[in-house]
Amino acid sequence: SEIGAKERVFLKGCWPRQRRKQVLSVVDESGELGRGIPAGINIPNYDDVRQNVGFKNVSLGNVLAAPESSDRITFLGDNDQEIFRAVQAEAFELQVGGHELLGHGSGKLFCEDGDGKFNFDREQTMNPLTGKPPQSWYRPGETYDSVFLDIGSSLEECRAECVGLLLSANTDVLRVFGHENEKAEDVMYVNWLLMCRAGLVALEFYSPEQTKWRQAHMQARYGILTTLLRAGQGLVALEGEGETLSVRLDRTKIRSVGVPAIRDFLLKIQVYKST
């Protein structure tokens, strides 16, 4: 199962994380009053409860399986249309699983309580960005939301999306989801392509008048696309303009260029969140 295999997946995180029991449930969505329907949920949405008590992961099966429109898929070239349709649902399921279970479900907050006690070793714990002990942490009464304010949701969604991307390039994780050999490589490719395309679609949710993003997931995906474009080496490119605009992803460079770029990006986000 995904949960059993999760404990066998080795993640090169920022600091050693505590093991704790996790639960994954698959349910169907019967209705949603809001601006969008989620494909998965990690609850409760409180970092202190997740960290100290535990959490539950819910995958909305009928949302994951919802078919794409039969029309031409925007922002994709001719060569990607067929493969995208063929494994899009499986790639999205893979991303949601990693995003919820090991994305939102990981990442310790370094805290000081009201008695001056710390939940981490201040001398032995090292900040991987500086090589020195952490110089900041959450003071008594502070929470992730109170520190990061409006950008908090987008930063957290970006962190979880990065985890999903990295896991999708792991052959052990692909095997857990039932994908091996050539099919596994196709699912991984389409998952990364999904994210690149989502970064373009995300621009619909940016308000130039207010100079702000209207949706946290979309700001996160745009940030990931920007990171992959900056990685260079021909990994991702935007081609055409207007109605012919499309994103091209070199599948041969996902592990050699894309994975290191996203790993470094995720490391920085995790350090910022933890400290």
Side-chain angles (χ1 to χ4, degrees):
S1 70
E2 180 183 353
I3 306 305
K6 169 191 171 296
E7 296 295 352
R8 299 195 299 272
V9 175
F10 178 71
L11 294 177
K12 294 182 180 179
C14 300
W15 292 278
R17 63 180 180 80
Q18 296 175 333
R19 293 167 61 99
R20 57 185 180 275
K21 294 182 179 179
Q22 327 246 336
V23 179
L24 177 70
S25 299
V26 179
V27 301
D28 282 344
E29 172 83 2
S30 60
E32 179 79 19
L33 296 176
R35 291 175 293 180
I37 302 175
I41 309 169
N42 181 286
I43 50 180
N45 198 22
Y46 299 99
D47 284 296
D48 57 337
V49 178
R50 288 174 178 168
Q51 181 166 302
N52 300 318
V53 180
F55 53 86
K56 187 179 183 69
N57 295 277
V58 179
S59 176
L60 303 176
N62 57 337
V63 177
L64 288 171
E68 183 77 23
S69 167
S70 59
D71 297 335
R72 178 181 174 82
I73 300 170
T74 58
F75 303 129
L76 292 185
D78 294 337
N79 294 336
D80 286 322
Q81 295 286 324
E82 183 177 350
I83 190 173
F84 190 89
R85 290 188 186 282
V87 298
Q88 176 191 8
E90 292 161 297
F92 190 40
E93 178 187 39
L94 174 65
Q95 178 67 18
V96 170
H99 174 115
E100 300 296 343
L101 184 60
L102 279 164
H104 292 313
S106 67
K108 181 175 181 175
L109 302 186
F110 290 4
C111 303
E112 176 186 2
D113 65 20
D115 296 325
K117 296 180 179 179
F118 297 84
N119 68 345
F120 66 100
D121 188 325
R122 293 181 61 192
E123 301 301 325
Q124 297 299 318
T125 302
M126 293 294 145
N127 181 331
L129 300 180
T130 65
K132 301 177 181 179
Q135 299 300 303
S136 62
W137 51 83
Y138 291 84
R139 309 292 178 172
E142 289 184 334
T143 66
Y144 174 75
D145 289 326
S146 72
V147 170
F148 285 90
L149 303 175
D150 292 344
I151 200 176
S153 293
S154 296
L155 195 67
E156 173 62 9
E157 294 303 335
C158 191
R159 191 178 71 89
E161 292 283 42
C162 286
V163 171
L165 278 181
L166 289 179
L167 289 176
S168 74
N170 183 302
T171 54
D172 290 334
V173 174
L174 286 162
R175 191 175 299 114
V176 168
F177 281 83
H179 309 308
E180 297 188 79
N181 304 318
E182 185 178 349
K183 175 64 176 296
E185 295 300 301
D186 286 346
V187 170
M188 176 194 69
Y189 170 64
V190 170
N191 187 45
W192 283 68
L193 187 61
L194 264 167
M195 188 61 65
C196 293
R197 176 179 179 268
L200 282 179
V201 174
L203 290 171
E204 299 178 12
F205 294 81
Y206 179 75
S207 172
E209 296 80 13
Q210 299 179 338
T211 63
K212 63 184 300 185
W213 290 86
R214 295 180 286 112
Q215 218 284 337
H217 292 80
M218 294 304 180
Q219 183 176 9
R221 291 160 185 165
Y222 178 76
I224 290 173
L225 173 60
T226 301
T227 299
L228 294 175
L229 286 168
R230 289 175 176 170
Q233 302 185 54
L235 173 66
V236 177
L238 300 181
E239 302 175 338
E241 58 184 19
E243 295 183 358
T244 65
L245 180 64
S246 64
V247 61
R248 176 181 56 77
L249 171 66
D250 187 340
R251 65 187 297 165
T252 68
K253 296 180 179 179
I254 290 176
R255 288 191 173 93
S256 62
V257 181
V259 167
I262 294 300
R263 182 185 293 128
D264 290 346
F265 188 37
L266 174 60
L267 178 63
K268 292 175 183 176
I269 294 174
Q270 184 59 65
V271 170
Y272 296 155
K273 177 177 180 178
S274 291
T275 61

